[in-house]
Amino acid sequence: MTARLHVSAAGPLVSVQDAGRPGFARFGVTASGPMDRLAFATANVALGNSIGAAAIEVSLGGLKLDCVEGPVSLAVAGGGFIVETDQKFGSWQVLTLTAGQSLTIRRGPWGSWCYLAIAGRLECATWLGSSATLGTSGFGGGKLVAGRELTIHAPRVVTARPLACPVFARPRHRLHVTLGPQDRFFAPETLRDFQKGLFALSTAYDRMGVRLSGPELVPNVALTMPSEPVTRGAVQVAGDGVATLLLADHQTTGGYPKIATVLDCDLDGAAQLRSFDALMFRPVTPAEATARARLHSALTARYLQSVTQA
Amino acid sequence: MSRFPIFRPVAEHGLLVEFGDTITPEAHLAVLHLDAMLVQSPCPGFREATPAYVNLLVQFDPNIANHAETETHLRALIARPPLSEAATAQHEVQVCYDDALAPDLAEVAARCDLSVEAVIAAHLAGDYRVFLYGFAPGYAYLGGGPQALSLPRKDAAVRDVPAGSVIIAGPQCIVTTLSMPTGWWRIGRSPTQILRDDPARPFLFDVGDAVTFRRIRRTEFEAAL
């Protein structure tokens, strides 16, 4: 048994993602995976899929699918997108498509990314054991473009239901950071501007990262540091004093100083901000970072358990 | 007493361990040593280690370990005796310097005040090591290129440089793996695959490996593709 979905329209940056391919940074391969990992996991477990099953990441550009062969159940989670079949829904919904029906997902009141999980196994290419699409190379399950047909093996139908959107899935405007690793390259008044200043996301926003507008953060030393490993969440400052927050498809190394690094547990919420949204950074100690991560882990585990399809 | 190593926290899940602030053989050896020790004795919650010129990023699961515990573990590993040099793996990379495959070779020769053949001889004589990967999947930064060919990168990047291009800048050399823009100098093309279709060993080099180039003719290049 298979189900087939025909892509009749897809915005830029709509791609197949699974939980990502960590472990290859030493070979220049970033982990990729969903921009909002909580929403991605929610969509999967709501269908009874494994938590990291291949699903579709939908950008603000939206997506339209026609069901050629069905039925198959789908779950949408992440942001406040508008989801239409014969009925109109918001994100955070389990629904079923039958042959002849269409599904449209388009930008709604909030959020930048939503996830469409499929009850069954999405047929797609893998690279290094993962179907996460790496934007710069196209390796992995690939982008969704108009005309592509998606084949789903062993499709299942589950009961349609709304999903609760937890408060911690909302956009996060105040991001906790540990300072550095190169905070020492900035003057005390620049560090103060970073901690007290108001930033905003620019329109230069893709899966690699987002450039920020806000106080100028010019390093007080020449940029001669050797290239070093960088991580998702790094707030990297180029020579022009403009900060970039690195996201899922970031490069694995770089030679620009990082004034701070956003806690990983704040990054799903950060990814749901939109261009022009306001943003502030709040430094914490390593001990507080650990405590926040553990609390977030416990909250998300409890939430995911509550929405899991038995 | 050196002020290194320095342990810098990176969010809730990482420590950047620095062994220097300028590129020296000693600092890079210390990176390779800790990296190798982590394979033998991973810290609790270990996720991955990413080596670079003078530092190593160690990432861990914050539900299992914290920065202080990880630092204690890493300090003990750093104190262990070094591994023998003999363990270094050697790789040979084929390179064709044919004009059509080396669009910048003549300009490199002119800028370095050398003949084209002298540029090729100097490139082949380099003592290359893999210092780190970066930029894109499989982009291995080979350090140890000859001083005579040390040029700053171009002012503007050239687009759509094909995979397999052998490019140089400063003392560094890369064999590219994807069609990408680059501001480095294109002096040859290699049929040697850095990204391999082998799940057990998907990348030809490990960081720390030694690399030599072997010159091949255009016909050999075509045959090897």
Side-chain angles (χ1 to χ4, degrees):
Chain A
M1 261 295 279
T2 56
R4 285 185 301 139
L5 301 172
H6 177 86
V7 180
S8 55
L13 307 182
V14 178
S15 65
V16 175
Q17 296 294 335
D18 66 8
R21 61 173 71 71
F24 295 101
R26 61 170 52 245
F27 298 112
V29 182
T30 199
S32 300
M35 295 286 278
D36 180 345
R37 294 153 296 184
L38 171 65
F40 163 83
T42 302
N44 268 326
V45 300
L47 295 171
N49 288 352
S50 75
I51 196 165
I56 295 160
E57 180 175 85
V58 182
S59 69
L60 286 172
L63 176 69
K64 184 164 187 278
L65 297 174
D66 303 322
C67 182
V68 180
E69 206 178 311
V72 60
S73 290
L74 309 168
V76 185
F81 283 64
I82 295 163
V83 180
E84 284 173 289
T85 56
D86 301 334
Q87 289 171 274
K88 195 164 173 177
F89 306 99
S91 304
W92 310 93
Q93 180 71 38
V94 175
L95 53 90
T96 297
L97 278 190
T98 55
Q101 274 189 311
S102 293
L103 168 76
T104 305
I105 301 178
R106 58 191 167 88
R107 71 183 288 158
W110 65 274
S112 283
W113 307 95
C114 91
Y115 295 84
L116 179 68
I118 305 165
R121 186 171 58 79
L122 174 63
E123 183 181 299
C124 62
T126 61
W127 180 54
L128 299 176
S130 162
S131 56
T133 305
L134 173 56
T136 45
S137 67
F139 290 169
K143 289 180 182 163
L144 267 67
V145 291
R148 181 171 173 179
E149 194 156 282
L150 304 172
T151 301
I152 295 99
H153 297 280
R156 290 176 285 113
V157 172
V158 301
T159 311
R161 62 182 169 121
L163 301 166
C165 169
V167 67
F168 47 86
R170 303 279 303 183
R172 198 170 292 238
H173 295 268
R174 203 170 68 158
L175 304 182
H176 298 92
V177 298
T178 56
L179 284 178
Q182 281 85 36
D183 48 316
R184 65 190 182 282
F185 291 172
F186 297 87
E189 51 275 22
T190 310
L191 283 173
R192 197 169 53 236
D193 287 348
F194 173 71
Q195 296 172 41
K196 306 276 183 210
L198 194 59
F199 292 83
L201 283 75
S202 76
T203 54
Y205 180 11
D206 63 17
R207 283 184 43 88
M208 288 181 75
V210 57
R211 274 167 71 90
L212 306 178
S213 63
E216 227 179 51
L217 304 171
V218 182
N220 63 0
V221 293
L223 295 178
T224 56
M225 56 178 274
S227 278
E228 67 173 32
V230 297
T231 165
R232 185 167 173 161
V235 183
Q236 174 179 286
V237 181
D240 56 6
V242 175
T244 297
L245 173 60
L246 300 184
L247 297 169
D249 281 351
H250 69 88
Q251 293 183 359
T252 54
T253 56
Y256 291 118
K258 277 80 66 188
I259 193 168
T261 309
V262 177
L263 302 196
D264 198 69
C265 60
D266 280 1
L267 284 179
D268 290 343
Q272 292 296 0
L273 295 168
R274 287 179 177 177
S275 299
F276 308 112
D277 278 354
L279 184 61
M280 289 189 77
F281 296 103
R282 186 176 161 258
V284 296
T285 62
E288 188 180 342
T290 303
R292 286 191 167 274
R294 290 177 180 178
L295 176 64
H296 180 77
S297 229
L299 284 173
T300 55
R302 194 183 315 157
Y303 166 74
L304 288 173
Q305 198 173 22
S306 76
V307 292
T308 297
Q309 167 77 27
Chain B
M1 183 80 193
S2 165
R3 63 194 182 92
F4 296 103
I6 296 173
F7 295 80
R8 301 194 189 277
V10 177
E12 76 271 48
H13 54 87
L15 275 180
L16 184 69
V17 189
E18 292 184 352
F19 294 99
D21 45 21
T22 55
I23 300 174
T24 61
E26 295 72 30
H28 191 64
L29 277 176
V31 169
L32 297 180
H33 174 253
L34 178 57
D35 191 34
M37 290 300 149
L38 272 166
V39 175
Q40 293 180 0
S41 312
C43 49
F46 176 73
R47 282 180 174 161
E48 69 179 310
T50 315
Y53 291 109
V54 298
N55 46 29
L56 182 77
L57 177 66
V58 179
Q59 294 187 263
F60 54 87
D61 180 347
N63 288 307
I64 295 173
N66 65 28
H67 305 78
E69 293 156 359
T70 305
E71 179 175 331
T72 302
H73 184 98
L74 296 178
R75 280 190 185 279
L77 295 185
I78 290 166
R80 289 193 188 174
L83 296 173
S84 70
E85 255 301 273
T88 304
Q90 302 272 341
H91 303 277
E92 187 185 81
V93 172
Q94 298 177 321
V95 55
C96 176
Y97 298 99
D98 191 276
D99 290 348
L101 302 175
D104 296 329
L105 192 53
E107 191 173 345
V108 168
R111 283 175 183 257
C112 297
D113 203 16
L114 293 170
S115 68
V116 164
E117 277 304 316
V119 169
I120 293 170
H123 183 250
L124 288 168
D127 177 23
Y128 299 100
R129 291 284 174 122
V130 180
F131 277 87
L132 76 163
Y133 278 88
F135 184 65
Y139 272 55
Y141 285 66
L142 309 179
Q147 193 57 43
L149 302 185
S150 187
L151 291 174
R153 65 186 65 188
K154 299 173 191 171
D155 290 336
V158 177
R159 297 185 69 86
D160 298 327
V161 173
S165 293
V166 176
I167 58 177
I168 59 169
Q172 301 187 106
C173 181
I174 292 176
V175 182
T176 70
T177 57
L178 299 169
S179 175
M180 290 282 241
T182 182
W184 293 29
W185 303 88
R186 304 161 293 170
I187 62 161
R189 190 90 71 82
S190 174
T192 304
Q193 296 293 316
I194 314 290
L195 293 184
R196 296 142 49 102
D197 263 340
D198 176 1
R201 193 181 169 78
F203 300 88
L204 180 61
F205 316 125
D206 282 317
V207 171
D209 288 356
V211 176
T212 52
F213 286 95
R214 183 168 70 81
R215 186 176 190 176
I216 57 170
R217 295 172 196 281
R218 181 68 183 264
T219 48
E220 286 175 86
F221 174 79
E222 304 290 352
L225 286 183

